[in-house]
Amino acid sequence: MAKTLKRVALAVGAVVVAGALGYGALVEYGLHKSYPQSIQPESGAALQDQIKRGEYVARLSDCTACHTKEGGQPFAGGYQLNTPFGVILSSNITADKQTGIGGWTQEQFDRAVRHGVGSHGYLYAAMPYNAYAKLTDQDLTDLWAYIRTIPAVNNKVVENQLPFPFNQRWTLAGWNLLFFHDQVFQPSEQHSAEINRGAYLVDGPGHCASCHTAKNLLGGDSAAYLQGGALQGWNAPDLTPNPHTGLGNWSTEDIVSYLRSGANRETASSGPMTEAIENSTQYMNDADLHAIASYLQSLPASDSAKPAPVASSDNAMVVGKKVFESQCGACHVSDGSGIRQMIPRLAGNAQVNSADPSSLLNVVLNGSQGPFTHANPTAAGMPAFDWKLSDSNIADVMTYIRNSWGNAAPPVATEDVSKARAASGAKPWLGGANK
């Protein structure tokens, strides 16, 4: 409790400081700053081609996932984002003039998407304008041409549901001053055209750092670029070429296959990444998928070292092995090799080796439906074990999996499972007291 109160106090203090800085930032990030458009939408037959290009940019940017709530109309908003500061709901970006953006100009659209200023003032960085700032003028204009074709849906969304003082949008001017680099992507002369394209896709429309880069106290990106981050109870893994926790053992085709289908010879997607694959990356063309792979492989590997594995004689390993053999071995195979392109390989799996077991806890407790994509229309699912295994059994089997077949990762404690069970809304174990 004391640690939580201290963190809240620090966050509130940081917001006050950011707000004070915000007043000094108004000249640079003013609410009324003009952003004249250098490129205008096409007309006639050329406009139809532009709309198609804009739809592709929308796919690259994964607009559908965040602006469509479960069971709701596409792009009508209401998707709930659980941030460390409270709840934010995504906005309605359909052509409805009352509750959407049907009355906006291209300049207003640009101000929101690339500069973080909407009709109500500064936007929260849950909308990744700090990444979309890198969109080229042409991509922004193409996207606007497409967005204008989305049918109007009357759906009023109360976007800002944050508690005081985080609900004060003026403080975001200070956040922008500290963390926002308002600049279109600049290619590097030291890299090939393919790697530059990959960098643009990853850092711009793909906004990969939003999840895969750890955040500081104020929600800004840390210096550990693409080395993993936490998101709504999930672990977004290391995307650098680290061979233990990252993509160091993945080939170019492994990365391409994962983004295209949601599965490869190593693993299958789960959680928020499945949403990204189903709504975005499966629609990317082959050249862009290879560009992303080339860029990620060009990055320096994170310095996350492989720890010493938990000894096989440890009680958690002994019990965990028995649980694995009775509950997991039939699908994942006794040596952890899984089934290629269907059931994830556990041996040498970077997500399994991550210091943060959040994603694994989510999958074991609540199960996971495999990604449904054009390239993988019959994906396998993982059943939920929340009702079947106690917290201690889950902790033991996860410790065993994370320290067998060459894997090495910190042990999982029973308390970790209990917290994950409560936070994820998993069912209680039917066996009795959860020990």
Side-chain angles (χ1 to χ4, degrees):
M1 177 61 76
K3 184 182 292 187
T4 300
L5 291 174
K6 182 179 180 181
R7 183 175 179 82
V8 170
L10 287 172
V12 171
V15 168
V16 173
V17 172
L21 289 170
Y23 283 110
L26 286 175
V27 173
E28 180 64 22
Y29 299 102
L31 286 171
H32 305 292
K33 186 172 181 179
S34 177
Y35 298 98
Q37 303 302 294
S38 60
I39 299 176
Q40 295 298 319
E42 302 285 354
S43 60
L47 176 58
Q48 298 308 309
D49 290 336
Q50 184 172 47
I51 289 171
K52 289 181 181 178
R53 295 198 307 269
E55 182 178 16
Y56 186 68
V57 176
R59 291 290 194 187
L60 294 177
S61 306
D62 200 11
C63 302
T64 305
C66 285
H67 286 280
T68 307
K69 70 177 181 180
E70 186 175 357
Q73 293 294 313
F75 302 104
Y79 181 85
Q80 182 171 306
L81 297 162
N82 298 311
T83 77
F85 308 100
V87 174
I88 297 174
L89 299 184
S90 64
S91 59
N92 180 347
I93 59 171
T94 71
D96 185 69
K97 291 186 177 181
Q98 291 182 318
T99 64
I101 60 174
W104 282 23
T105 64
Q106 182 179 341
E107 183 174 350
Q108 285 177 295
F109 181 72
D110 187 8
R111 276 160 54 86
V113 173
R114 293 199 296 185
H115 307 289
V117 180
S119 58
H120 302 303
Y122 296 109
L123 300 182
Y124 291 95
M127 157 63 176
Y129 61 85
N130 54 334
Y132 294 158
K134 296 179 175 62
L135 287 174
T136 64
D137 291 345
Q138 186 65 65
D139 276 355
L140 186 281
T141 305
D142 293 347
L143 178 61
W144 172 238
Y146 168 67
I147 291 294
R148 291 193 301 170
T149 70
I150 297 172
V153 178
N154 188 276
N155 182 42
K156 184 175 179 57
V157 178
V158 180
E159 301 163 27
N160 183 353
Q161 299 187 13
L162 301 176
F164 182 84
F166 307 115
N167 60 354
Q168 301 301 299
R169 289 181 181 270
W170 57 271
T171 63
L172 295 169
W175 191 95
N176 287 340
L177 181 66
L178 293 171
F179 306 116
F180 180 37
H181 304 290
D182 193 356
Q183 185 179 29
V184 172
F185 176 79
Q186 300 296 317
S188 169
E189 295 181 356
Q190 282 70 49
H191 293 123
S192 66
E194 181 178 59
I195 288 179
N196 273 314
R197 175 64 177 174
Y200 173 69
L201 294 170
V202 168
D203 292 342
H207 59 281
C208 302
S210 295
C211 298
H212 291 273
T213 297
K215 302 299 180 279
N216 58 33
L217 184 65
L218 283 175
D221 287 346
S222 71
Y225 173 66
L226 296 183
Q227 294 177 27
L231 174 71
Q232 300 189 85
W234 293 83
N235 172 56
D238 185 347
L239 297 184
T240 75
N242 184 303
H244 186 62
T245 59
L247 306 181
N249 294 321
W250 288 28
S251 68
T252 297
E253 289 307 315
D254 286 336
I255 298 174
V256 169
S257 176
Y258 182 77
L259 295 175
R260 179 188 290 128
S261 70
N264 60 21
R265 65 187 177 93
E266 294 285 338
T267 192
S269 68
S270 60
M273 190 61 204
T274 293
E275 291 183 4
I277 290 169
E278 291 180 341
N279 290 302
S280 177
T281 62
Q282 71 159 317
Y283 296 99
M284 293 182 181
N285 62 46
D286 193 64
D288 280 349
L289 291 174
H290 278 84
I292 290 173
S294 294
Y295 174 65
L296 293 178
Q297 290 173 322
S298 75
L299 297 174
S302 66
D303 59 4
S304 177
K306 183 177 180 178
V310 177
S312 59
S313 59
D314 186 276
N315 184 65
M317 293 289 287
V318 174
V319 175
K321 182 179 181 180
K322 294 178 180 178
V323 176
F324 179 86
E325 290 172 345
S326 66
Q327 303 295 327
C328 315
C331 292
H332 290 283
V333 189
S334 60
D335 62 357
S337 59
I339 298 176
R340 188 183 181 92
Q341 300 292 129
M342 183 176 292
I343 297 174
R345 176 186 179 91
L346 299 178
N349 186 311
Q351 182 68 281
V352 170
N353 285 316
S354 172
D356 182 354
S358 298
S359 292
L360 301 180
L361 283 168
N362 262 304
V363 170
V364 172
L365 284 166
N366 299 301
S368 176
Q369 179 57 49
F372 183 79
T373 60
H374 297 111
N376 190 29
T378 56
M382 164 88 172
F385 285 87
D386 50 0
W387 63 276
K388 195 174 186 181
L389 295 178
S390 67
D391 290 354
S392 62
N393 277 167
I394 292 175
D396 291 342
V397 73
M398 287 186 61
T399 297
Y400 171 75
I401 290 170
R402 284 158 59 83
N403 290 279
S404 299
W405 319 299
N407 293 340
V412 176
T414 300
E415 293 74 18
D416 296 331
V417 184
S418 300
K419 291 177 182 178
R421 187 186 291 270
S424 68
K427 297 176 183 176
W429 175 50
L430 296 184
N434 227 321
K435 296 180 179 180

